[in-house]
């Protein structure tokens, strides 16, 4: 800075790197998301590795990141419940947020009506959430031959919840929506048009029939 006629004239010298940083900081970012999972603090803990591998095989998960995502949701819910338990029962915040948390657990089937207390939220585990995934429920309803087949059916748009086709295997199903899970009307399993393989076989059979008729006509 230097003083000119009593005023302060600021002179800035920009290097190419600093000018790029300035332009980058001026660009608006509209991404409104954050990390939905958190990696383990100890990556090579044998007991945890075996437990996560068991979850992946039992519930047909794609990778361990799906387990970490559930763990993060569970950690947030436990933290909220633990914070509310430090308040008095007559506290308005505990009454409002506590009832909302318990209603959410009841709606998702994580807790039943006999366990509507914040203490039971602290006892929730990862399998409680994995049992409420759409992939698990589709398999238990008998719509799929295996837990992995259930994932394929969901991703390939064969399953609907109500009137909406759901393509996310990790979709948490509400108790009220569980009875509305079925094959989509556009799916071959739900009375829709035949699939790609069946159409190909029908076309091959038709071509064989046409060839046989042509041979018969040629012999006559």
């Amino acid at each position: 800075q230097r003083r000119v006629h009593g005023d302060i004239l600021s002179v800035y010298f920009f290097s190419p790197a600093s000018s790029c940083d300035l332009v980058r900081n001026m660009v608006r970012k509209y991404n409104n998301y954050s990390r939905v999972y958190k990696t383990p603090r100890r990556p090579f803990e044998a007991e945890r590795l075996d437990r996560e591998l068991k979850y992946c095989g039992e519930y047909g998960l794609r990778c361990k990141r799906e387990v970490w995502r559930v763990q993060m949701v569970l950690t947030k819910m436990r933290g909220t419940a633990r914070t509310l338990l430090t308040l008095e029962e007559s506290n308005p915040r505990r009454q409002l947020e506590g009832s909302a948390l318990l209603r959410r657990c009841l709606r998702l089937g994580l807790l039943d009506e006999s366990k509507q207390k914040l203490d039971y939220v602290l006892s929730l585990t990862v399998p409680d959430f994995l049992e409420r995934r759409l992939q698990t429920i589709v398999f238990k309803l008998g719509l799929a031959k295996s837990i992995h087949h259930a994932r394929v059916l969901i991703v390939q748009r064969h399953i609907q919840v109500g009137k909406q086709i759901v393509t996310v295997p990790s979709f948490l199903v509400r108790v009220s929506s569980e009875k509305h899970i079925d094959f989509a009307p556009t799916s071959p399993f739900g009375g829709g048009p035949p699939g790609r393989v069946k159409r190909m076989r029908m076309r091959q059979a038709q071509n064989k029939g046409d060839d046989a008729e042509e041979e018969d006509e040629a012999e006559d």
Side-chain angles (χ1 to χ4, degrees):
Q1 294 179 352
R2 70 185 181 195
R3 188 174 298 275
V4 180
H5 301 295
D7 297 327
I8 296 179
L9 176 63
S10 299
V11 180
Y12 298 96
F13 297 95
F14 291 99
S15 64
S18 61
S19 61
C20 292
D21 294 338
L22 179 62
V23 173
R24 191 181 300 111
N25 293 332
M26 291 173 61
V27 176
R28 293 184 179 180
K29 295 181 180 180
Y30 294 99
N31 296 331
N32 186 18
Y33 62 88
S34 59
R35 292 288 292 271
V36 295
Y37 68 93
K38 188 176 181 181
T39 55
R41 191 173 296 176
R42 298 174 60 186
F44 301 109
E45 188 178 2
E47 183 180 352
R48 182 189 53 78
L49 289 173
D50 295 339
R51 185 171 60 251
E52 291 176 350
L53 192 62
K54 179 183 176 182
Y55 290 156
C56 290
E58 184 177 355
Y59 295 99
L61 307 181
R62 184 177 66 87
C63 59
K64 294 182 180 180
R65 193 181 299 122
E66 297 196 56
V67 180
W68 300 340
R69 191 165 56 206
V70 172
Q71 285 177 343
M72 190 168 188
V73 174
L74 182 58
T75 301
K76 290 183 178 180
M77 291 182 66
R78 282 177 178 170
T80 302
R82 198 174 292 112
T83 303
L84 295 176
L85 284 172
T86 59
L87 304 176
E88 297 181 359
E89 293 186 2
S90 59
N91 191 300
R93 180 187 173 189
R94 175 170 177 174
Q95 294 177 353
L96 182 64
E97 296 185 9
S99 59
L101 181 60
L102 293 175
R103 279 199 308 270
R104 181 189 178 192
C105 293
L106 180 64
R107 189 166 58 243
L108 292 177
L110 301 173
L111 297 175
D112 53 17
E113 295 183 356
S114 62
K115 297 182 179 180
Q116 290 299 295
K117 291 184 179 180
L118 291 174
D119 296 327
Y120 291 105
V121 177
L122 300 177
S123 62
L124 290 176
T125 57
V126 172
D128 293 334
F129 282 84
L130 297 179
E131 289 287 341
R132 299 305 304 169
R133 298 172 84 245
L134 178 62
Q135 179 181 356
T136 307
I137 294 179
V138 166
F139 171 60
K140 290 191 173 182
L141 289 176
L143 301 177
K145 299 177 182 178
S146 66
I147 193 71
H148 304 285
H149 184 216
R151 188 181 188 93
V152 173
L153 291 177
I154 295 170
V155 172
Q156 294 183 356
R157 303 176 64 84
H158 291 293
I159 302 297
Q160 68 175 6
V161 180
K163 296 183 179 179
Q164 180 68 42
I165 295 178
V166 182
T167 59
V168 182
S170 61
F171 175 77
L172 293 180
V173 182
R174 297 183 179 182
V175 177
S176 58
S177 302
E178 190 171 350
K179 57 185 177 182
H180 300 295
I181 298 175
D182 200 358
F183 288 115
T186 56
S187 169
F189 303 105
R196 177 181 58 85
V197 176
K198 189 172 183 179
R199 290 199 308 268
M200 182 181 64
R201 291 176 179 173
M202 292 169 59
R203 198 179 304 114
Q204 291 176 353
Q206 185 178 0
N207 292 338
K208 288 182 180 179
D210 295 341
D211 294 341
E213 290 179 0
E214 290 178 0
E215 291 178 0
D216 293 341
E217 291 177 358
E219 291 178 357
D220 295 339

